[in-house]
Amino acid sequence: MSRYSIFTLARNALTNHENWTEAWRSPEPRPDYDVIIVGGGGHGLATAYYLAAEHGITNVAVVEKGWIGGGNTGRNTTIVRSNYLYDASAGLYEHALKLWEGLTQELNFNVMFSQRGVMNLAHDHHEARDLKRRVNANRLNGIDSEWLDRQQVLDFCPILNRDPAIRYPVYGATLQRRAGTARHDAVAWGYARGADARGVDIIQNCEVTGLDIQGGRITGVETTRGRIGAKKVGVVVAGHASVLAAMAGLRLPIDSHPLQALVSEPIKPVMDTVVMSNAVHAYCSQSDKGEMVIGAGIDLYNSYSQRGSFDVIEETLVAICEMFPILSRLSMMRQWGGVVDVCPDASPIISKTPIGGLYLNCGWGTGGFKATPGSGHVFAHTIARDEPHPINAPFALDRFASGALVAEHGAAAVAH
Ligand code: FAD
Ligand code: PYC
């Protein structure tokens, strides 16, 4: 750390954190942009960043109805991995994982990417066969993935329940060592700061209420702060993708559901990896603050509520207490939900649409955080060149007509 920054730090500590320069501007919307990105989550901000950084398109606005990162980006449980089954998915998620590995340097902003490994547990022989198939598929795609037997799993995560007589005993697990976690809101802030520095306008508290389409082409958006013209519009609004698509007369094959998570009171370090169990619909990691970060499967009904039902987290905590008996006396500090947009094949849509200049990025369901850099990178390419990047070509809308689905319910690893 330079002397200048030590003094700056000391001055800021003593002046009650006053007079910091803003990390990004808060401009008034201009009348027209080359590109408008609707949705200021990680994917939308990453898209704007790569439009500017890689395609030289800087006359761009990100229009966000609330505050950036206030949607699923700031609500997720931060798991990053690339161990999906099919080649198309391996290409997409591994592209993202490679970008994660250099993201702090790329953005000059610490996104706290921690490659602590992610385990997907098997509780019986049948699950083990399924997971071993995925390990083999990953390796064929050059993705690090290994199978651990029961003893290896217990050695890797000693706080797991070792009793063989429980309802869901540990049988084995997959392990991806390059996988892990990242600080979710830092990802939004880092991309926002990088995009702003390149001239992108980030416009918060501005809800898109309509899409202007003339002669089969997008010409702008209607917002709560007036009309804004645009040559191209990318819609990246996660749980509200169907709502925005309906404004363009499009019906998406998407179901929106609440997905819940919760954190415990902080405790000393007890777990230095991430453990997921598809069978019991629960997963757990420990944050840098010491809180146990716990997540559930989706609430099965459709809803736009960011809350979820109590019975789902009750079942999740029953499963967590069986998996990790030493956590059973912890108090839970906070619970929240997000709205996730699930496609029939549990894979995303990154696509052109039948409307000229209108592009969609959605359908990430329970698992889009891990894809944030890769998704933004290939979506920026799709918008800039008006054609898909080879990596996102299999994730176009037309797969729901052709039947070329990318069925990833197993690898999604959070029940839905
Ligand atoms: P968001 O961050 O939701 O951004 C979309 C933005 O669009 C929002 O800020 C919203 O306000 C805005 N918006 C909506 N409508 C409008 C409008 N009309 N006008 C303007 N703006 C609008 N994924 C993982 O990979 N790993 C995990 O561990 C993980 N855990 C999760 C746990 C929970 C509890 C939840 C809810 C999700 C989890 N996910 C996880 C999924 C992940 O969070 C999402 O897939 C991802 O964050 C989606 O990012 P996004 O930028 O597309 O969406
Ligand atoms: O996709 O890995 C994932 C995930 C973990 C928790 C929620 N989604």
Side-chain angles (χ1 to χ4, degrees):
M1 187 182 278
S2 70
R3 285 178 60 204
Y4 172 78
S5 44
I6 290 171
F7 289 132
T8 310
L9 202 62
R11 192 183 60 236
N12 282 323
L14 296 172
T15 56
N16 204 18
H17 294 268
E18 286 165 352
N19 305 321
W20 288 64
T21 42
E22 281 184 340
W24 53 86
R25 297 161 296 125
S26 299
E28 285 302 310
R30 289 181 226 155
D32 288 290
Y33 289 92
D34 290 336
V35 180
I36 289 178
I37 301 297
V38 185
H43 290 238
L45 292 162
T47 305
Y49 173 83
Y50 291 115
L51 276 170
E54 299 228 334
H55 302 278
I57 303 175
T58 56
N59 185 21
V60 176
V62 176
V63 177
E64 163 57 48
K65 78 172 172 187
W67 65 97
I68 62 165
N72 288 346
T73 296
R75 291 164 186 272
N76 71 75
T77 43
T78 78
I79 297 174
V80 174
R81 58 189 173 85
S82 64
N83 57 349
Y84 282 68
L85 180 62
Y86 288 103
D87 296 353
S89 319
L92 179 61
Y93 293 103
E94 181 61 14
H95 180 52
L97 186 46
K98 290 207 171 94
L99 290 172
W100 277 112
E101 287 174 327
L103 197 58
T104 288
Q105 288 78 7
E106 165 79 22
L107 299 176
N108 189 24
F109 194 84
N110 191 358
V111 298
M112 297 169 73
F113 182 47
S114 159
Q115 292 178 291
R116 61 184 68 182
V118 173
M119 285 202 295
N120 291 108
L121 289 184
H123 299 283
D124 59 34
H125 183 61
H126 173 77
E127 261 196 296
R129 291 182 73 159
D130 211 34
L131 286 172
K132 283 181 184 173
R133 177 186 174 210
R134 190 135 61 84
V135 168
N136 292 332
N138 290 159
R139 288 183 166 197
L140 286 170
N141 277 311
I143 294 173
D144 70 304
S145 189
E146 48 195 283
W147 174 255
L148 303 187
D149 65 23
R150 175 181 155 82
Q151 192 53 49
Q152 289 170 315
V153 174
L154 296 174
D155 290 345
F156 198 74
C157 183
I159 66 166
L160 273 164
N161 194 336
R162 15 199 91 220
D163 183 348
I166 55 175
R167 203 166 45 128
Y168 290 101
V170 172
Y171 184 98
T174 63
L175 171 64
Q176 185 178 20
R177 291 183 195 266
R178 285 167 59 240
T181 57
R183 170 88 192 267
H184 48 15
D185 34 22
V187 176
W189 299 334
Y191 274 121
R193 187 171 163 271
D196 173 87
R198 286 164 176 78
V200 171
D201 283 356
I202 295 166
I203 302 167
Q204 303 183 79
N205 297 312
C206 183
E207 180 170 358
V208 170
T209 53
L211 299 174
D212 291 345
I213 296 161
Q214 282 168 21
R217 256 205 95 75
I218 192 96
T219 58
V221 298
E222 304 292 334
T223 81
T224 45
R225 289 168 68 174
R227 180 182 189 279
I228 315 177
K231 296 189 184 79
K232 294 180 176 178
V233 173
V235 173
V236 202
V237 294
H240 291 82
S242 310
V243 177
L244 268 287
M247 294 176 190
L250 301 174
R251 187 155 174 250
L252 297 181
I254 276 184
D255 272 337
S256 297
H257 295 268
L259 179 68
Q260 303 189 61
L262 58 171
V263 290
S264 74
E265 60 188 315
I267 51 174
K268 287 191 174 170
V270 291
M271 187 178 176
D272 59 1
T273 188
V274 180
V275 176
M276 308 183 68
S277 165
N278 222 2
V280 303
H281 300 187
Y283 58 90
C284 191
S285 65
Q286 188 166 21
S287 78
D288 295 335
K289 282 189 279 182
E291 300 161 332
M292 302 311 294
V293 181
I294 293 165
I298 58 167
D299 283 37
L300 287 172
Y301 50 87
N302 296 133
S303 170
Y304 291 115
S305 139
Q306 288 177 317
R307 297 187 60 172
S309 298
F310 185 69
D311 62 298
V312 174
I313 46 171
E314 190 179 14
E315 291 294 323
T316 301
L317 288 176
V318 169
I320 288 290
C321 290
E322 188 186 89
M323 267 162 65
F324 305 102
I326 71 159
L327 304 183
S328 61
R329 295 178 65 189
L330 283 187
S331 299
M332 293 298 134
M333 301 286 278
R334 298 188 301 280
Q335 170 277 346
W336 65 92
V339 184
V340 297
D341 50 342
V342 183
C343 284
D345 58 356
S347 284
I349 297 167
I350 314 174
S351 184
K352 296 174 66 171
T353 70
I355 292 147
L358 180 65
Y359 308 86
L360 278 178
N361 182 326
C362 59
W364 293 96
T366 58
F369 177 67
K370 67 175 75 62
T372 306
S375 158
H377 190 255
V378 298
F379 196 44
H381 174 111
T382 305
I383 295 172
R385 305 203 182 178
D386 195 35
E387 64 180 23
H389 188 287
I391 288 177
N392 66 293
F395 299 98
L397 262 179
D398 63 11
R399 76 178 189 273
F400 300 104
S402 70
L405 302 182
V406 188
E408 288 288 5
H409 282 280
V414 173
H416 58 271

